Amino acid sequence: MRRIGFLLSNDFQLMTLASQCVFEYANVVVSDCFYDVDNFSIEGGTVRTSLGMTVGTSSVQGCGEVHTWIVVGVNDPLASRVSFREPEFLREEVGHAQRIAGVCTGAFLLAEAGLLARRRATTHWAFAREMQRRFPDILVEEDRIYVVDGAIWTSAGMTAGLDMALAMVQMDLGAAVARSVARKLVMHQRRSGGQSQHSEMLDLADKSDRIQKALNYARKNLSRPLTIEELAETVHLSPRQFSRVFTQETGRSPAKAIEGLRLEAARSMIEQTRHPLDVIARETGFTDRRHMRGAFIRGFGVTPQAVRREMRDEELV
């Protein structure tokens, strides 16, 4: 039996407990009590959710052996006061637990405990840059669903905790069990850790009509070279005016924005189709497969081949 301990603190976000269902249904699938899930807090007793409900917890004192600790998040980690006892407890558990995870902004508590120092980690996109500012020794990957660095796991927003929990089940019980759990929970698929938290087009949204028109044109014509002159012509500006206005409104050059759109389109094709990488590179406007590979490493930190291998593994889940 593997004991999963959820560490709660007042004003935690109730949705972060949803991942408990993943472990519950893993037990159903294997017809055994493989996981034992408990709620804990430092002192025990009732803990208040951000919605005002209360949840009963046991004290971490004398909690016994826990295989995996999962620290839940709060709506605003910047406004929440962290008791020194929680980071101290987590530091002590590093040498005992097999895994320690932070769901959503729960990663801030791991950071306070020093568990993320010189490690890769993620958190909710709205707080990722603040985490990087406050803890410069963390390698924050703000555009990841979840990140695994050794025994330390962190996830993005609260629903990403489901994906992270499924990844734990896959590690513990295999791909077939994780796939069955996902089906029972009516999850379309388990998102891989490398998937983006948000869309390139959403990042570039809320701009003027002419810049949006140019972006929409680019997205529909990614297989073309898409020169500055061509994009400028679609919105009736000179190339120099277009570059200046585009950079002012989006905070990046047209070339960088177009590369972002190409990367997003290429990744989507890799994840959703079986087209050869050469074909995907051509269809999304990269010079060749080698050019696409370099862009992937810069943009995602992984190669297109790694994304494809990950998606093949997903098909087995």
Side-chain angles (χ1 to χ4, degrees), residues 20-220:
Q20 293 186 356
C21 297
V22 172
F23 302 112
E24 174 189 0
Y25 276 86
N27 287 342
V28 172
V29 170
V30 299
S31 300
D32 189 18
C33 190
F34 185 84
Y35 292 111
D36 178 25
V37 180
D38 291 304
N39 290 325
F40 293 94
S41 61
I42 294 297
E43 297 181 353
T46 58
V47 175
R48 185 182 63 253
T49 74
S50 60
L51 192 60
M53 301 167 58
T54 57
V55 175
T57 66
S58 300
S59 170
V60 297
Q61 305 306 317
C63 62
E65 183 178 345
V66 174
H67 179 277
T68 301
W69 282 104
I70 298 180
V71 181
V72 302
V74 297
N75 282 334
D76 186 355
L78 309 182
S80 298
R81 299 184 63 182
V82 177
S83 163
F84 76 93
R85 296 178 63 190
E86 291 165 328
E88 182 181 42
F89 169 74
L90 291 172
R91 281 191 292 272
E92 293 173 353
E93 283 299 305
V94 169
H96 304 292
Q98 299 300 306
R99 291 185 295 235
I100 297 182
V103 177
C104 192
T105 58
F108 275 78
L109 208 74
L110 273 61
E112 292 283 354
L115 305 190
L116 302 183
R118 295 176 297 282
R119 289 184 182 271
R120 296 166 49 245
T122 193
T123 188
H124 191 288
W125 62 266
F127 298 101
R129 294 183 183 179
E130 181 61 23
M131 171 176 276
Q132 186 67 87
R133 189 189 69 79
R134 290 191 177 200
F135 306 97
D137 56 352
I138 300 176
L139 305 176
V140 178
E141 299 189 11
E142 62 179 275
D143 197 28
R144 296 291 185 270
I145 295 297
Y146 63 86
V147 171
V148 182
D149 191 328
I152 306 299
W153 298 51
T154 50
S155 82
M158 288 160 285
T159 58
L162 293 166
D163 302 290
M164 183 171 67
L166 275 171
M168 291 179 179
V169 169
Q170 179 170 333
M171 175 179 287
D172 296 341
L173 294 169
V177 172
R179 178 176 62 185
S180 183
V181 171
R183 285 177 174 172
K184 288 183 180 298
L185 293 176
V186 199
M187 295 177 67
H188 178 63
Q189 67 176 53
R190 178 175 71 82
R191 295 177 294 178
S192 61
Q195 280 193 306
S196 174
Q197 289 192 40
H198 52 270
S199 161
E200 183 73 18
M201 285 302 289
L202 286 178
D203 274 354
L204 297 169
D206 299 324
K207 310 306 175 191
S208 66
D209 289 344
R210 56 186 174 183
I211 296 303
Q212 279 301 316
K213 182 179 179 180
L215 287 168
N216 289 333
Y217 177 86
R219 185 174 56 177
K220 294 175 183 177

